[in-house]
Amino acid sequence: MRLYVYVLQAKDLPVQETSVVLHVGKHKSKTRVSRGTSNPIWHEEFVFRVGAVDEGDDVVVSVLHHDQDHHHQSDVSTGLIGKVRIPLCSVAGEENQTLLPTWFVIEKPSDGKFVNIECGKILLSMSLQGKSESTSDEKVLPYKQDVTLEAVKEVQGSAKEGKRRKHHDGKHIMKNLVNQIDKLFHKKEEISKRLNDEPAGDSVTSNYEDATDKSCSSAATTCTSFEEGLDLMQSSDGEIEEMPENLVGGILVDQKYLVSPSDLNKFLFSPNSQFRKELAELQSLTDVQEGPWTMIQEDITPRLTRLVTYMRPATKLVKAGKATESQVYRKASGNQFAVFVSVSTPDVPYGNTFKVELLYKIEPVTEPNAVGESSRLIISWGIQFSQSTIMKGMIEGGARQGLKESFEQFSDLLAKNYKTLDPAVVLDKEQVIATVQSEQKTDLKSAFLYFWSSSVVCAVLLSVYVVVHMLHCEPSKIQGVEFYGLDLPDSFGELFSSGTLVLLLERVYMMTVHFIQARLHRGRDQGGKANGKGWILTIALIKGTNLASVEATELFDPYVVFTCNGKTRTSSVKLQAQDPQYIEVIEFDAMEEPPSVLDVEVFDFDGPFDQGVSLGHAEINFLKLTADELADLCVPLVGHHAQASQSKLQLRIFLENKNGVETMKDYLSKVEKEVGKKLNIRSPQKNSAFQKLFGLPHEEFLLKEYTCYLKRKLPVQGKLFLSARIVAFYSNIFGHKTKFYFLWEDMDDIQVLPPTLASLGSPLLLIILKKNRGLDAKHGAKSQDEEGRLWFYFQSFVSFDATSRTIMALWKTRTLSVDQRAHIAEEESDVSDPFFLPGDVAVVSDADPLQMSKVYACDLPGDVELVMKIFGGGEMERKIMEKSGCLNYASTTWESKKPGIYERRVSYKYNHTVSVFGGGVTCSQQKSTAPNDEGWILNDIVALHDVPFGDNFRVHLRYEVKKAGVDCKTSKCEVYLRIRWLKPIKFEQRISKSIMEKFRNRLKVIFDLFQKESVANSSLTLL
């Protein structure tokens, strides 16, 4: 005789990690361990060989608690939750010797940690098959009555609960369960034959998943058609259930289609879907087997589910393996569908440690221009790890890349069957900017937030307290050293109170002045409108988040510098703000070609010469972001302190072409002059294919394409593409793809190498990128030099000379555009002299040193004429200035303006060691003889360019070089400094302090270098 035991599920267990052990006589079997739920579902079947059914024969069902042994990476049993003892006589006394699914109360153990805890219930079903030697009704009836009574109580309780929840009648479910169990018994003869060949007492365990897939044998599962299952889900409060959220891994597909949601759902998931077959063929999937859609009860909610298995093709790193998809409908309400897919791939490396999850969401959308119904398909993904592994990052990266490629094919194939609708229109720039400006806080609200501090509150309360005291007190008598009009404190307590009040009022006064200055101040580039026609870049700077200074306790004043195509724009300065709210709109003047990148850097303002004040920087690549993404962008800042604090900037960026096709024509005309031949924009089809191949925005246009070889270890044949902003290469040899691109601005040098035997007699075109640039294209480089620059070799062009000339011209046009724009700007402002000084400054020869501050004084070896060689324009001046941090130093000759008065002009740039901004400097110098011919007096007017607020002031230096000593072989030099402000700003005191300090240090460096040069020249003269 065979005993079939079905362990279905349990509920209200006190723990979550559980399993069930069955004892029948001397034999036992156990289920798998269920994790993460106190209402586990097993649906497992067990078969035992039993003899004659006696009164003392019982089936003992033990529920065990399991825990993870982290040391041995295995499951261990940590305690008995409870037991259920079922006499075999009660099963034999049932009709057809079958005990229908019945809830049994789990008995508490006699000892252990679950003694005083309710242990829940378990749902079991049993059946005896075969002939028994003796079965006594007297023996069976008592047990039958007890068990049936418990079953009746449980069924009644379930029925009452079902009525409250308005679900299907329990009798209907029970009838379906009985039918499914009866179906199982058709295969008992086959199982019996297998048991006769096995040793006595062996147990046979059937796989529940296989049973579900083949015959829907589970007691909680009902076979049904696809359409009937959707109707059942819709009738079971499908409208009330909310659409699940997207999975955390990201969005793989987000597209609108001209088809109703119901038709799209059937097209994707109906049995024997033609789309699934075509997709499997496209992705080289084999042995695809789709199980039937079945209905299961999950948390009293009917769910439609099925299993799909297939063989995945082998890749470079992973061999071919079997994959199993469990597809479950989470929502089906007629026009909204959500299908959750769990994909297990046990054959791949570490495949048992994770499962990939997908969520398909189909929703109706309303398109005003669409004819007929339309729907939106969103597919998101995630990954769940069942145990920790050091390969987690690599697994996530590989899954992300594989899913991206697979669903690109999915989208392309689906677009061939249903028409796609255009994506949502990008927000109108003017509308967004108007919204941004409307969000700006009022002065009253800003004042309240600024002054709501303990200092202000204490000052106000103490002032009110003092005033009230004064109103209630009579004037004190004059005593001590007081006299009429002077009332001094009469005790140390009064002195302390008065001092405290004065300090608090001073603090409030400084805060008030600080706030008024901040409200009056605006960034010099804020609100300015762009000039010219071409590519207009508009930036709405919203706010900064978690900005971090070098010192954690230091309060800082952040401002943002934007750089694009060599032009710089600066935001306003926000005082003592870790999360500054800018709400500013900044525009760049029109550019001839679309910009490639936008450099963003946040500084802590402390004067124009400040070093090491960067709070973080970021680079925004316009080729990698869509217009929608640019319209609402949160940029993480890079830097030691910025990354640790997760500093971010919120921006809204708009890039638009104001001149249409004329901008492209002007750009091509400029390139044609360099190339010496006609260039034409490619056809729209070519442009579209080029943009899709490399994932480029729609404004990128293709100029040229050449067939060539990329030289690596082995030459790779492909095509080289040239566009306005990038150089790209693509190759596809027997499915092995090579694809990369880098910007023209990334290129450091281009060289033409002579033909060699290794290049098969073809000249080589060598492209060298700048340090740490173009790292996304590293897999296409042949080598990397010691400086970190990537080297790319191209050969075997059809016309090497024409190709190299075109590439050189495009690179020159793109990289020299900064100088060309600067030159054009100078022409527009009528500036043709490189030593031009703004006209608001004139050299003052009779400046009074009493109105200036002495910043440096020293005694120098050598006479006056030797010292004046620092300003002589010769070799000594050039060496000293270059060593002191001046780049591109140039000066005119001294010209006599009046008797004894000479003038010249000087131009140079600071390196980043001297100034973090690397700004330019133009000077107008005038020298004249000192009274009594004791030496020279030199007045120097310095104008700083490309530094914050550099247009608001000029620096006036006065050098007095006079004779010292009796023999006049030593000289004395004194330097005075004054800052003349052209426009009043609130940072005058801070800027003045910074300039004084920087010029004092710089003068020391210059005169120290002079002493070294003079000593070296004297030594050479002696030799």
Side-chain angles (χ1 to χ4, degrees), residues 194-483:
R194 291 202 305 265
L195 288 174
N196 291 330
D197 298 333
E198 296 174 356
D202 290 350
S203 63
V204 179
T205 303
S206 66
N207 189 304
Y208 170 70
E209 285 79 9
D210 293 341
T212 302
D213 186 35
K214 295 178 181 178
S215 60
C216 303
S217 62
S218 171
T221 307
T222 305
C223 291
T224 183
S225 67
F226 181 65
E227 291 77 9
E228 291 176 354
L230 293 178
D231 294 339
L232 181 60
M233 285 192 66
Q234 184 176 355
S235 63
S236 302
D237 298 336
E239 296 288 350
I240 300 176
E241 190 171 359
E242 296 181 356
M243 183 71 78
E245 297 291 336
N246 294 328
L247 300 182
V248 296
I251 303 297
L252 296 171
V253 176
D254 187 357
Q255 184 61 56
K256 298 177 183 178
Y257 297 92
L258 190 60
V259 60
S260 66
S262 177
D263 291 342
L264 182 58
N265 172 64
K266 293 178 181 179
F267 183 76
L268 295 179
F269 297 105
S270 63
N272 300 320
S273 169
Q274 185 63 29
F275 173 78
R276 288 287 178 179
K277 295 179 181 179
E278 294 177 359
L279 182 63
E281 183 179 355
L282 181 63
Q283 297 180 347
S284 303
L285 305 181
T286 57
D287 298 336
V288 180
Q289 297 181 4
E290 295 183 356
W293 286 103
T294 57
M295 185 65 67
I296 64 172
Q297 295 291 327
E298 181 180 295
D299 296 333
I300 72 170
T301 303
R303 302 286 190 192
L304 198 60
T305 180
R306 74 171 176 180
L307 291 178
V308 178
T309 61
Y310 51 84
M311 290 293 295
R312 299 185 61 86
T315 63
K316 295 180 183 178
L317 302 177
V318 181
K319 65 179 181 180
K322 183 179 179 180
T324 303
E325 289 188 4
S326 174
Q327 302 176 357
V328 181
Y329 270 89
R330 293 296 181 189
K331 184 175 179 62
S333 61
N335 59 354
Q336 289 186 331
F337 302 90
V339 181
F340 178 79
V341 180
S342 178
V343 185
S344 61
T345 52
D347 295 338
V348 304
Y350 298 91
N352 293 322
T353 64
F354 70 93
K355 286 187 178 181
V356 176
E357 298 177 345
L358 300 170
L359 180 62
Y360 295 74
K361 296 199 304 185
I362 303 175
E363 301 174 323
V365 293
T366 302
E367 289 291 332
N369 298 327
V371 180
E373 293 185 81
S374 56
S375 57
R376 182 184 184 187
L377 174 63
I378 302 176
I379 305 176
S380 57
W381 78 283
I383 188 167
Q384 290 291 336
F385 287 89
S386 58
Q387 64 185 56
S388 60
T389 171
I390 60 175
M391 304 298 291
K392 182 177 180 180
M394 184 175 294
I395 292 172
E396 288 179 341
R400 183 184 299 107
Q401 183 63 28
L403 289 171
K404 183 179 178 182
E405 295 177 357
S406 298
F407 279 92
E408 284 179 356
Q409 298 174 335
F410 177 95
S411 301
D412 294 341
L413 182 60
L414 187 57
K416 294 179 181 178
N417 293 274
Y418 293 110
K419 181 181 178 181
T420 59
L421 302 177
D422 294 334
V425 181
V426 180
L427 293 175
D428 181 67
K429 184 185 78 171
E430 300 298 334
Q431 178 183 356
V432 171
I433 291 176
T435 304
V436 168
Q437 293 176 341
S438 66
E439 294 175 355
Q440 190 169 7
K441 295 180 181 178
T442 63
D443 288 347
L444 184 60
K445 186 175 181 180
S446 300
F448 176 79
L449 295 175
Y450 182 74
F451 287 108
W452 184 249
S453 64
S454 58
S455 300
V456 177
V457 173
C458 291
V460 172
L461 293 178
L462 188 57
S463 299
V464 173
Y465 187 83
V466 170
V467 171
V468 172
H469 170 73
M470 292 169 58
L471 294 176
H472 286 79
C473 293
E474 297 180 357
S476 61
K477 296 180 180 180
I478 298 176
Q479 55 184 346
V481 295
E482 295 177 345
F483 53 86

Side-chain angles (χ1 to χ4, degrees), residues 941-1004:
I941 305 296
V942 181
L944 304 176
H945 309 287
D946 299 327
V947 297
F949 311 105
D951 297 336
N952 297 335
F953 64 88
R954 298 290 178 262
V955 181
H956 184 186
L957 294 169
R958 178 184 174 92
Y959 300 82
E960 293 185 1
V961 183
K962 298 181 180 179
K963 302 174 183 178
V966 180
D967 54 358
C968 299
K969 290 187 178 180
T970 59
S971 304
K972 182 178 181 181
C973 180
E974 296 179 348
V975 184
Y976 299 84
L977 184 145
R978 186 183 70 174
I979 300 174
R980 187 156 73 90
W981 294 96
L982 308 179
K983 299 176 183 178
I985 61 173
K986 68 167 187 172
F987 298 105
E988 291 182 6
Q989 184 176 358
R990 185 182 298 181
I991 292 176
S992 299
K993 181 180 178 181
S994 176
I995 290 176
M996 289 286 188
E997 181 182 355
K998 300 300 179 181
F999 270 88
R1000 185 180 292 110
N1001 295 335
R1002 179 164 174 74
L1003 290 168
K1004 185 178 184 302

Side-chain angles (χ1 to χ4, degrees), residues 895-904 926:
E895 297 179 3
S896 176
K897 297 298 181 181
K898 296 179 182 178
I901 299 177
Y902 305 87
E903 291 183 2
R904 73 163 184 173
Q926 183 186 90

Side-chain angles (χ1 to χ4, degrees), residues 791-1019:
W791 290 34
F792 296 83
Y793 293 85
F794 300 95
Q795 66 182 58
S796 301
F797 293 98
V798 176
S799 178
F800 184 85
D801 293 337
T803 304
S804 60
R805 187 168 61 250
T806 302
I807 295 175
M808 284 281 200
L810 289 169
W811 176 53
K812 182 179 178 182
T813 302
R814 187 75 186 185
T815 55
L816 295 182
S817 58
V818 176
D819 297 334
Q820 291 175 357
R821 286 192 294 270
H823 182 66
I824 293 172
E826 290 176 355
E827 290 180 350
E828 291 177 351
S829 58
D830 295 327
V831 179
S832 57
D833 187 1
F835 307 100
F836 174 78
L837 192 71
D840 51 44
V841 177
V843 178
V844 182
S845 60
D846 56 348
D848 187 3
L850 296 177
Q851 299 178 359
M852 308 176 74
S853 301
K854 182 187 289 189
V855 292
Y856 187 79
C858 66
D859 293 327
L860 301 173
D863 56 11
V864 173
E865 298 301 322
L866 179 61
V867 175
M868 289 302 293
K869 286 187 177 180
I870 299 176
F871 311 101
E875 186 66 19
M876 178 180 288
E877 180 184 12
R878 185 185 62 80
K879 287 183 178 180
I880 291 174
M881 293 303 173
E882 288 180 354
K883 291 181 180 180
S884 64
C886 297
L887 305 176
N888 303 328
Y889 188 87
S891 62
T892 61
T893 58
W894 289 102
E895 297 179 3
S896 176
K897 297 298 181 181
K898 296 179 182 178
I901 299 177
Y902 305 87
E903 291 183 2
R904 73 163 184 173
R905 295 186 179 180
V906 179
S907 173
Y908 56 90
K909 290 184 177 181
Y910 287 128
N911 61 18
H912 287 279
T913 304
V914 178
S915 173
V916 70
F917 304 102
V921 179
T922 53
C923 306
S924 181
Q925 298 179 349
Q926 183 186 90
K927 70 177 181 178
S928 58
T929 56
N932 302 324
D933 291 333
E934 292 181 354
W936 291 90
I937 296 176
L938 188 143
N939 290 282
D940 188 3
I941 305 296
V942 181
L944 304 176
H945 309 287
D946 299 327
V947 297
F949 311 105
D951 297 336
N952 297 335
F953 64 88
R954 298 290 178 262
V955 181
H956 184 186
L957 294 169
R958 178 184 174 92
Y959 300 82
E960 293 185 1
V961 183
K962 298 181 180 179
K963 302 174 183 178
V966 180
D967 54 358
C968 299
K969 290 187 178 180
T970 59
S971 304
K972 182 178 181 181
C973 180
E974 296 179 348
V975 184
Y976 299 84
L977 184 145
R978 186 183 70 174
I979 300 174
R980 187 156 73 90
W981 294 96
L982 308 179
K983 299 176 183 178
I985 61 173
K986 68 167 187 172
F987 298 105
E988 291 182 6
Q989 184 176 358
R990 185 182 298 181
I991 292 176
S992 299
K993 181 180 178 181
S994 176
I995 290 176
M996 289 286 188
E997 181 182 355
K998 300 300 179 181
F999 270 88
R1000 185 180 292 110
N1001 295 335
R1002 179 164 174 74
L1003 290 168
K1004 185 178 184 302
V1005 171
I1006 290 175
F1007 285 107
D1008 287 347
L1009 289 171
F1010 164 74
Q1011 294 184 35
K1012 293 179 182 179
E1013 290 292 331
S1014 61
V1015 171
N1017 292 338
S1018 300
S1019 300

Side-chain angles (χ1 to χ4, degrees), residues 187-199:
K187 58 179 182 180
K188 292 301 181 288
E189 295 180 1
E190 193 176 320
I191 297 176
S192 300
K193 291 180 181 179
R194 291 202 305 265
L195 288 174
N196 291 330
D197 298 333
E198 296 174 356

